[in-house]
Amino acid sequence: MRREIPTNVPPLLPSKLDTISEATGVCWVSAVILPRLGFTKRDEALRQSKAQGRQAEVVPVFSSSVVMSLGPAVLRGVRSRPGLSALRAAKLHITSSWNLEYGWTAYVLGERTTKRFNEFSKVFTVDGNLHSGKGKLAQHIAEKLNMRYFPEADVHYLDRVTGDGSILDSKFGGNCSLETFYNDPKHPNGNSYRLQAWLYSNRLLQYGDALEHLLATGQGVVLERSPYSDFVFLDAMFKQGYIHKRCVEHYEKIKHLSICEVLPPHLVIYIDVPVPEVMKRIEEKGEVNDSRCYEGAQRSNDEPFREPKLTGRIALCTSYGDKTHGAVRLQGKMVISELREPYEKKVSSAYLQSIEDCYKKSFLPEISETSEVLQYTSSEAEEVDKVIEDIEALNFDKGPWLEQDDITFHHLRKL
């Protein structure tokens, strides 16, 4: 028997949800309706539902549109397993999990950010030229300080964090190619600028994800590069004649409109590796497995790479001395690997020198106005304990983070 709602209160939930309520034995008492009944009738409604041997639950929502948007979240509260058949009969989508997005309702109900913060609830970025050891140092810092590590965002970052994580065709992801850039950086189809603009977009997206993780959990984050340092590659492209001046102007407009929505990192760590050493490391780099997925392939052999979960049309990984050729079946498809030379071996020393110059002459002086900066040589960066000591000695007494509070963090999380 359903609980009767007074006729002077308009029904806000669909009849299908009533069907679910009868089938599962759960009486949904919405906070949208109860405030209109008054506290006395609210308590009376709860007592009546309990007297009927039914379980009453209060859903804290504040409008009919919010009620409808929280349908899957409400259904998650169903505790009677036999009721799942009723859910399917009602033709409502159900899943084992549902990721709720942060909204103003959470703030109204008492959600606060600063109460989660600790000494290392901060954003660190590790920058440097190609093959400077950024990833290794970033991972060590994250492990030592109990922070979350974000590897450098590449052209496929958006693919990996959306959908099923499959790598989509390039026409769905910036219509650019890293291989084309290294093989022919002056290609007339404009690939170089599309590549850098797409990389900036992915870095900005990842930086936003890192900020959301920090604000939602209080755990600090460590990233390889950031949208703040992305322009060093654009500057190097322009100086080498890979792109036109109008590309730089367009990039600066896009960055000006977007970067203002986020906060700069608390700390930037720069690893200074001379260009000759970078070129040497690139030459010594192992071969790369170029893995492609084929439908209906019948080959099977050794697993060709370490992280097969990142599957799709094309997946790339580095193999250090492993000469294995083979294939592995993933998600009903066959991934066949082929060894090839890494694209970076075709990069020019002049391009690498332009990157280094822009880091030292433009990026580091600019970012030092709002962020702490630590610089290390390649050998110094390997002394992780010394780096941790330097980080712990910083005061972090500058930058816009000092002006933030729960209200500004709320608006930042709403972006």
Side-chain angles (χ1 to χ4, degrees), residues 163-227:
D164 62 357
S166 299
I167 306 303
L168 303 179
D169 189 274
S170 61
K171 64 183 179 182
F172 301 111
N175 195 24
C176 55
S177 168
L178 192 63
E179 179 181 6
T180 301
F181 170 73
Y182 282 117
N183 290 333
D184 186 6
K186 296 183 179 181
H187 198 288
N189 69 355
N191 174 78
S192 294
Y193 178 63
R194 287 200 309 276
L195 173 67
Q196 199 53 49
W198 182 246
L199 282 172
Y200 171 77
S201 300
N202 279 270
R203 286 194 175 109
L204 183 63
L205 175 63
Q206 184 193 52
Y207 195 79
D209 292 341
L211 286 178
E212 170 61 21
H213 178 79
L214 168 64
L215 300 180
T217 67
Q219 183 183 28
V221 295
V222 185
L223 301 91
E224 293 182 53
R225 297 201 177 102
S226 71

Side-chain angles (χ1 to χ4, degrees), residues 41-293:
K41 292 190 176 182
R42 173 186 181 276
D43 297 335
E44 180 182 352
L46 291 173
R47 286 195 298 270
Q48 288 180 358
S49 62
K50 292 180 179 179
Q52 296 170 0
R54 310 173 78 176
Q55 176 188 346
E57 297 204 10
V58 178
V59 184
V61 291
F62 296 90
S63 69
S64 58
S65 59
V66 176
V67 171
M68 299 306 296
S69 65
L70 289 181
V74 173
L75 296 181
R76 198 176 59 186
V78 177
R79 301 175 183 175
S80 177
R81 300 302 296 177
L84 292 178
S85 59
L87 297 178
R88 299 188 183 97
K91 297 182 179 179
L92 291 176
H93 177 69
I94 57 172
T95 58
S96 58
S97 62
W98 182 267
N99 295 323
L100 295 179
E101 295 182 358
Y102 176 83
W104 69 269
T105 308
Y107 184 83
V108 170
L109 294 175
E111 173 76 10
R112 296 295 183 268
T113 297
T114 55
K115 65 182 181 181
R116 299 190 184 92
F117 280 5
N118 56 46
E119 180 183 3
F120 292 110
S121 295
K122 304 186 186 302
V123 180
F124 297 166
T125 64
V126 182
D127 274 271
N129 216 324
L130 275 65
H131 294 272
S132 57
K134 304 179 299 297
K136 182 179 179 181
L137 178 60
Q139 290 184 65
H140 285 315
I141 293 175
E143 292 174 0
K144 294 282 187 178
L145 300 180
N146 192 28
M147 304 172 76
R148 179 177 174 182
Y149 165 66
F150 283 77
E152 183 176 5
D154 59 5
V155 294
H156 299 300
Y157 178 78
L158 182 60
D159 296 337
R160 294 191 177 107
V161 298
T162 57
D164 62 357
S166 299
I167 306 303
L168 303 179
D169 189 274
S170 61
K171 64 183 179 182
F172 301 111
N175 195 24
C176 55
S177 168
L178 192 63
E179 179 181 6
T180 301
F181 170 73
Y182 282 117
N183 290 333
D184 186 6
K186 296 183 179 181
H187 198 288
N189 69 355
N191 174 78
S192 294
Y193 178 63
R194 287 200 309 276
L195 173 67
Q196 199 53 49
W198 182 246
L199 282 172
Y200 171 77
S201 300
N202 279 270
R203 286 194 175 109
L204 183 63
L205 175 63
Q206 184 193 52
Y207 195 79
D209 292 341
L211 286 178
E212 170 61 21
H213 178 79
L214 168 64
L215 300 180
T217 67
Q219 183 183 28
V221 295
V222 185
L223 301 91
E224 293 182 53
R225 297 201 177 102
S226 71
Y228 289 89
S229 62
D230 180 81
F231 76 93
V232 301
F233 298 96
L234 186 86
D235 183 80
M237 288 181 181
F238 176 68
K239 289 180 178 178
Q240 297 305 311
Y242 299 164
I243 58 177
H244 295 286
K245 177 65 175 178
R246 61 179 178 270
C247 296
V248 178
E249 295 173 350
H250 179 263
Y251 178 94
E252 290 176 347
K253 290 181 180 178
I254 297 299
K255 182 178 180 180
H256 176 74
L257 293 172
S258 57
I259 203 71
C260 60
E261 300 292 345
V262 295
L263 297 173
H266 293 84
L267 169 65
V268 173
I269 300 175
Y270 177 71
I271 304 178
D272 186 10
V273 180
V275 171
E277 177 64 21
V278 173
M279 294 292 294
K280 180 181 178 182
R281 294 183 181 185
I282 293 176
E283 289 298 321
E284 294 175 350
K285 181 180 179 181
E287 292 176 304
V288 171
N289 280 327
D290 188 353
S291 305
R292 302 174 184 269
C293 292

